[in-house]
Amino acid sequence: MRGTRALLGALLAAALVVGGLSGCQTVSGAARDRPSGRATSAAPSGFGAEFLAVDECSSFGTTSFTEVPCTSERAAARVVARYDGDPAQGPACPATTDFVLHISPSGVVRRGYACMRNLEPPHPGDPGGGGGPRTIVGDCVYGAGKGEVRETACDGRGGRTPEYRVTSAVARRSQCPPSTALYVQLGGSRPVGCARRL
C-alpha cells in the first residue's frame, strides 16, 4: 500500500505542476505570500472533531479530498496549518507547504483553507522542488514574460529549464549581493528574493 500512496503522491505532484499551483511571481512590486493556486475543494467526511484540523490527514480524490485517519492506507497528505476564511486575507501557509486545500462551507464546517504536506515524497514545496504555493530560498524560476517568473524544479524535471535560483531573502533590494541577476517577490518580513542566473 505504501507504493500506492507514493504513486498517488507523484501523480498529484505532477498534476499540480502542470496545473500551475505554484502560480506566477512578479519580478518586482508589492509582496505576496498568500496561498495561491487552483481552487481545490475538500468535502467533510465526518471523521474527527474538526474537519481537517492540524495533524489530520486527507486522501486524494479525482474531484475532491476527504478526511481520513492518518493510519489509513488512503491517507496521502497531512494538515500542517489550518485557517478559517479567505486565503487572500488570511495568514500565509508555512514555507514548505506542498499544496493548499480550499475548504467550502458545509453545515458546521466554515470556509477556510488547509496547508498540506504529502506523507511521502515528492515534496514540491521543498526548496528547489518546483511547486508549492510559495517561492522560497533555494527555489528555481524561469521567465514567464511581462515581468513575471514561474517556479520550476531546479533539477529540470519540471518541464521547464530553470534560469535563476533564489539564493537569499532580504528586506530591501539594496541588501542583495552583487551577483544578483533578478529580484523575485517572496512576501513576508523579507519580501525580496535575490536570484542568480544559472
Side-chain angles (χ1 to χ4, degrees), residues 15-73:
L16 294 178
V17 169
V18 170
L21 184 62
S22 61
C24 287
Q25 298 290 324
T26 56
V27 176
S28 63
R32 267 187 257 155
D33 64 341
R34 301 284 183 238
S36 63
R38 186 177 57 197
T40 307
S41 65
S45 68
F47 179 80
E50 179 185 7
F51 181 63
L52 287 178
V54 173
D55 285 333
E56 291 184 345
C57 293
S58 74
S59 67
F60 291 139
T62 55
T63 59
S64 66
F65 295 71
T66 57
E67 184 177 313
V68 296
C70 291
T71 55
S72 168
E73 64 186 37

Side-chain angles (χ1 to χ4, degrees), residues 85-108:
D86 185 349
Q89 278 81 46
C93 283
T96 57
T97 298
D98 287 333
F99 63 98
V100 178
L101 285 181
H102 298 264
I103 300 168
S104 301
S106 174
V108 297

Side-chain angles (χ1 to χ4, degrees), residues 6 29 35 70 76 78 122 132 136 177 186 192 195:
C70 291
R78 183 180 304 271
I136 58 176
L186 302 180
V192 179

Side-chain angles (χ1 to χ4, degrees), residues 137-159:
V137 172
D139 280 340
C140 292
V141 298
Y142 65 92
K146 297 183 183 177
E148 294 183 345
V149 294
R150 286 190 187 259
E151 192 176 331
T152 189
C154 290
D155 63 8
R157 287 182 297 161

